[in-house]
Amino acid sequence: MSRQNQTTNREPRVNNREKVRGSLKKRYSAEKRFRAYGLVSILLGMAAVSTLFLDIVGKGYPAFSQTYIKLDIHFEPDEVDPDGNRSQHSLKNGNYASLIKDSLRAEFPGVKGRRDQRKLYRLVSSSAAYELQRMVRSDLSLIGERRQVWLLANDDVDVFVKGNMDRDLPEDERRLSDKEISWIDSLEAQGRIERRFNWAFFTSGDSRDPELAGIGGAAMGSLFTLLVTLALSFPIGIAAAVYLEEFAPKNRVTDFIEVNINNLAAVPSIVFGLLGLTMFIQFFGLPRSAPIVGGLVLALMTLPTIIIASRASLKSVPPSIREAALGMGASKMQMIGHHVLPLAMPGMLTGTIIGMAQALGESAPLLMIGMVAFIVDIPGGPMDPSTVLPVQIYLWADSPERAFVEKTSAAIMVLLAFLIAMNTTAVILRKRFERRW
């Protein structure tokens, strides 16, 4: 009897053990599947980001070089100095375009028809005449001389030389005819075509001619806009965070304010653009397309981010710091200004930099206040008409010329470089000044 009881008692133990083993096996399998799903998700995300970056870099890096054509220019006195007195006024009115045409006709004497000659003249950029004018006005000894001069090529020539135009396509599907391609081949064979680093891309303003367009104006506009944004949002955001965290009583009013600040951080940026359009332009009458208005709008958009990050940084300071300061006889202002705020400042700066990086990449609110306008000149201050980098990218992306495709991608690369630099600065600041309690 006793043996039978022992047998019946062992059977349930064996069954429970098997059940536990089966359950563990399932849990381990589920854990492995979960880890696999996470790994696949990360790999898919990295693949998508890598594809995006490779596509942008592949299209944009040719924009950092520019094609130049070497021509033999004879600075004929009658064309360069029509008044014959060497004055700056006379030199400014010289017919420098004719010098380029004469040189091209001398290089290709077989080109006779007016239509073919117009095509021949278009090999060189329209800005080449101004370059010759600048050379003569700065060096009068050029007058009457014959010099070899490197002149900027037209955007279609530049695209072709960079290999972004298929010469095997039918002639009516290309922007360059067979004759123009043969002239380019002839110049290349003589060593008269060269690619140089495109400094003008970083120093020039916008232009209808792709070979002359640059991001200099948009970069300065972004700089002025961010300065206005930082000057307004940083002190106001820090002051609001300190008051709400350290001084404000805990009641329904402060709860209502906190909820609204959190909600404002999630409001679409286009809404801030509408707010800026109504308040700053229509009500206060501030100028459109100006960094001052863009900075005000972006400051409104950035404030919730700075306030939330600053409050989180203030909360991370241990209460013992506050109690020790008060226990030593410091006032509340002294406790906050001398002890809490310096310890919380790294987190505040990190939140501010992240907010600035977000503002730098925004375009929707700036479109609403007119910063989409075509601005050629580089702004000299916050009140001058200007555009910003995201809007400049938007404008170029809408242009039909092939040369603007590479400039769009190159501008995106510059914008991404700025964003990566700002986020890297935020990470370094956090690592450098972070304190663990």
Side-chain angles (χ1 to χ4, degrees):
M1 187 67 182
S2 60
R3 289 182 179 177
Q4 289 179 352
N5 289 336
Q6 289 177 355
T7 307
T8 52
N9 290 333
R10 285 177 183 173
E11 287 178 353
R13 288 182 181 175
V14 172
N15 292 335
N16 289 337
R17 191 176 298 170
E18 290 177 353
K19 287 181 180 177
V20 170
R21 286 177 179 173
S23 172
L24 284 174
K25 191 176 180 181
K26 288 182 180 178
R27 287 164 56 188
Y28 291 150
S29 300
E31 185 178 340
K32 287 181 180 177
R33 285 198 300 273
F34 184 77
R35 290 165 60 184
Y37 294 153
L39 183 61
V40 169
S41 301
I42 291 173
L43 291 176
L44 286 175
M46 291 179 65
V49 173
S50 301
T51 304
L52 176 65
F53 275 35
L54 287 174
D55 182 63
I56 292 173
V57 173
K59 291 179 179 174
Y61 84 89
F64 297 112
S65 65
Q66 194 76 25
T67 302
Y68 284 80
I69 298 176
K70 184 167 69 175
L71 294 178
D72 296 322
I73 301 294
H74 181 211
F75 294 91
E76 294 185 13
D78 293 341
E79 299 287 355
V80 173
D81 185 15
D83 297 339
N85 54 13
R86 301 295 193 269
S87 66
Q88 291 293 320
H89 176 75
S90 176
L91 297 176
K92 187 178 179 181
N93 293 326
N95 188 3
Y96 297 92
S98 67
L99 305 182
I100 299 171
K101 293 177 181 177
D102 293 342
S103 175
L104 286 169
R105 283 198 301 269
E107 186 69 30
F108 299 97
V111 180
K112 297 297 182 184
R114 297 183 62 183
R115 187 175 178 182
D116 288 343
Q117 285 183 346
R118 281 199 296 271
K119 288 182 179 179
L120 181 64
Y121 302 153
R122 284 204 297 265
L123 292 180
V124 180
S125 169
S126 58
S127 68
Y130 297 102
E131 176 63 19
L132 293 181
Q133 183 194 79
R134 186 192 62 77
M135 291 173 61
V136 172
R137 295 179 71 181
S138 61
D139 185 7
L140 297 181
S141 65
L142 289 174
I143 300 175
E145 297 290 323
R146 182 180 294 276
R147 298 285 180 88
Q148 289 188 333
V149 182
W150 288 96
L151 297 175
L152 189 63
N154 182 273
D155 63 298
D156 290 330
V157 177
D158 183 56
V159 171
F160 179 79
V161 171
K162 291 175 180 174
N164 294 326
M165 186 183 298
D166 188 1
R167 67 167 66 213
D168 296 329
L169 284 174
E171 188 174 3
D172 56 350
E173 296 181 12
R174 284 189 258 112
R175 289 181 62 88
L176 291 178
S177 65
D178 292 338
K179 287 183 180 178
E180 290 171 295
I181 290 177
S182 68
W183 298 333
I184 296 170
D185 290 339
S186 174
L187 290 170
E188 276 191 312
Q190 299 175 45
R192 289 180 175 271
I193 288 186
E194 183 177 279
R195 288 174 62 181
R196 300 179 178 179
F197 187 77
N198 188 9
W199 291 106
F201 178 72
F202 298 97
T203 58
S204 302
D206 198 7
S207 173
R208 299 292 184 197
D209 297 322
E211 73 273 11
L212 302 177
I215 61 170
M220 287 302 294
S222 294
L223 176 64
F224 287 128
T225 303
L226 284 183
L227 286 177
V228 173
T229 305
L230 181 64
L232 291 173
S233 61
F234 182 70
I236 295 175
I238 298 297
V242 169
Y243 176 78
L244 289 173
E245 195 60 36
E246 302 291 341
F247 293 100
K250 301 298 179 185
N251 52 33
R252 291 184 178 180
V253 176
T254 53
D255 290 342
F256 179 76
I257 293 173
E258 287 181 18
V259 169
N260 279 281
I261 289 174
N262 294 330
N263 288 334
L264 280 174
V267 168
S269 57
I270 191 75
V271 177
F272 289 100
L274 288 169
L275 177 64
L277 176 67
T278 306
M279 188 191 311
F280 302 125
I281 294 178
Q282 295 180 354
F283 185 75
F284 290 110
L286 293 175
R288 296 176 72 95
S289 307
I292 182 71
V293 182
L296 288 168
V297 173
L298 293 180
L300 290 176
M301 196 192 71
T302 312
L303 266 176
T305 304
I306 296 177
I307 293 173
I308 292 170
S310 300
R311 292 191 65 188
S313 185
L314 288 169
K315 283 180 183 175
S316 67
V317 178
S320 58
I321 301 291
R322 296 175 173 83
E323 293 167 1
L326 294 174
M328 293 297 293
S331 66
K332 193 165 186 179
M333 279 298 298
Q334 289 174 328
M335 177 265 289
I336 294 170
H338 296 172
H339 301 280
V340 177
L341 207 53
L343 294 173
M345 191 53 71
M348 293 177 170
L349 287 175
T350 303
T352 303
I353 293 173
I354 292 174
M356 289 295 107
Q358 180 190 1
L360 177 63
E362 282 293 341
S363 61
L366 303 178
L367 295 177
M368 297 301 299
I369 58 171
M371 296 197 79
V372 70
F374 177 74
I375 307 294
V376 177
D377 298 327
I378 296 177
M383 299 299 287
D384 292 342
S386 165
T387 185
V388 291
L389 271 176
V391 178
Q392 185 69 77
I393 292 168
Y394 170 79
L395 285 171
W396 283 351
D398 201 35
S399 300
E401 288 87 350
R402 176 65 179 80
F404 274 122
V405 174
E406 62 184 40
K407 290 197 177 289
T408 303
S409 300
I412 292 173
M413 290 170 64
V414 174
L415 182 60
L416 287 175
F418 275 122
L419 294 175
I420 291 171
M422 294 180 74
N423 282 291
T424 304
T425 305
V427 172
I428 291 173
L429 279 175
R430 190 174 65 236
K431 293 285 185 184
R432 177 74 176 79
F433 298 105
E434 186 180 35
R435 289 191 179 184
R436 297 185 181 276
W437 311 99

